[in-house]
Amino acid sequence: MKKNHAQVIVSGLLLIGFFYVVDAAEIISVISTIDIWTFLVACIFSVCGNFACAFRWTKLLNYNSRIEVRRAFKAYFESISFSTVIPLGIIGGDFYRSVRIIPRRTVGAPSSKMHMSKEIILSVITDRIHGFWALCLIAAVTILAYSALFELDNAFVIGDLKFGLDNMFSIYLLFIIVVVVTPWISSKTQAFFFDQSSAQSKLITNFMIRSKLKTVIFTSIISQLLFAGSFFYCLNATNVDISIYQCFMIVPIIFLCAAVPLSLAGFGPREYGAAIILSSLGFTLEKSVASSILFGLTITLQGIGFLFINLIFSSKDR
């Protein structure tokens, strides 16, 4: 309990410090003058992305029956609602769905709670890793495709700033390529590090096999394209003049920042990441932060919406 209180305090102080540095009034002004229709498109992309993620999770869990799939979808969207009201953000939401998805044991049935818990927790971890892998794949393909058509050094020429291979961009490119090839490397080295006869190793192997299913890979790529598209429309709504290929290149590192468990209602680390990355590309700090806040609002609105839907159906079931 004390740890949670400390986390809330640290998260709050980080947000306060952040808004002390930026012009909060300017951010509010930018958000108040956004293109509502563009933001609506961003919301639609985000909703579709979450549906695709929920579907991917059912495949990783190897759920096939309608009841199992419905329970997984319900737990996934409940976790979105949960993550908007607790300081742990994404990690808190993932913990919630890990617990929520565990089926209740019927009277007289043998207990397999520990096995189910390990399997479900591993499915959530695999789900998150798979999403980030797909995001890095999209970024790597975009960079390599652009370099084949144009000069990569000109990928980020904004004003007087040149953000090309002569600086940190080359390290970033190496990072996302390593992420993309890691699944194939890990499958080759697993036998060296783990006892293949152990239950844990067999469980990991099963998830590695499921994660390489064509349906899972395709769904993962689609979901991340939708999320990246949602972020792109949030940028456009705040008049941040960035191209779609530039957006695809930078979203992995911005979204990775969101995984840091120091957010309040889903806000905090992602805004720091957006401020650093986008401002380094020559965009104004306030617009960069406002676009990230808008993207967070697309998730928050889904959480609130599903909370109301869940309450309505729960009251009908009574």
Side-chain angles (χ1 to χ4, degrees), residues 16-221:
I16 292 171
F18 182 71
F19 282 102
Y20 179 79
V21 174
V22 301
D23 189 343
E26 180 62 24
I27 292 175
I28 294 172
S29 176
V30 171
I31 293 176
S32 63
T33 57
I34 63 169
D35 186 338
I36 297 297
W37 293 107
T38 303
F39 177 64
L40 179 61
V41 173
C43 289
I44 294 171
F45 270 58
S46 183
V47 171
C48 293
N50 274 317
F51 269 100
C53 285
F55 178 76
R56 177 185 64 206
W57 190 37
T58 64
K59 293 302 179 183
L60 289 172
L61 286 165
N62 200 27
Y63 282 180
N64 295 309
S65 72
R66 184 177 297 181
I67 295 176
E68 288 177 328
V69 171
R70 182 181 177 184
R71 188 173 72 243
F73 267 79
K74 192 172 185 291
Y76 184 89
F77 281 94
E78 281 181 0
S79 72
I80 295 176
S81 301
F82 189 73
S83 64
T84 60
V85 295
I86 61 168
L88 290 175
I90 290 175
I91 293 178
D94 285 346
F95 175 77
Y96 176 86
R97 63 166 159 152
S98 298
V99 175
R100 189 71 175 85
I101 194 65
I102 297 174
R104 296 179 181 177
R105 185 166 60 94
T106 57
V107 178
S111 177
S112 59
K113 187 176 180 180
M114 287 303 295
H115 174 70
M116 286 300 298
S117 296
K118 288 181 180 179
E119 184 175 359
I120 291 167
I121 290 171
L122 189 57
S123 74
V124 173
I125 295 172
T126 305
D127 182 59
R128 284 297 177 190
I129 293 174
H130 211 290
F132 185 66
W133 171 84
L135 206 59
C136 289
L137 176 64
I138 293 168
V141 170
T142 303
I143 293 171
L144 296 175
Y146 187 86
S147 65
L149 298 174
F150 309 99
E151 293 183 11
L152 187 58
D153 285 344
N154 294 328
F156 287 126
V157 176
I158 301 172
D160 296 328
L161 181 67
K162 189 178 182 181
F163 193 75
L165 287 176
D166 54 346
N167 47 43
M168 294 297 292
F169 192 74
S170 56
I171 299 175
Y172 175 61
L173 176 59
L174 177 62
F175 167 73
I176 60 176
I177 290 176
V178 168
V179 172
V180 171
V181 301
T182 294
W184 283 270
I185 297 175
S186 61
S187 63
K188 299 295 183 182
T189 58
Q190 185 185 359
F192 181 78
F193 291 103
F194 296 99
D195 179 12
Q196 296 299 294
S197 61
S198 67
Q200 182 179 351
S201 180
K202 289 179 180 179
L203 194 60
I204 294 173
T205 301
N206 286 337
F207 276 104
M208 290 184 69
I209 293 172
R210 294 175 196 171
S211 66
K212 292 178 182 179
L213 294 173
K214 291 181 181 179
T215 305
V216 174
I217 293 174
F218 177 76
T219 306
S220 198
I221 293 172

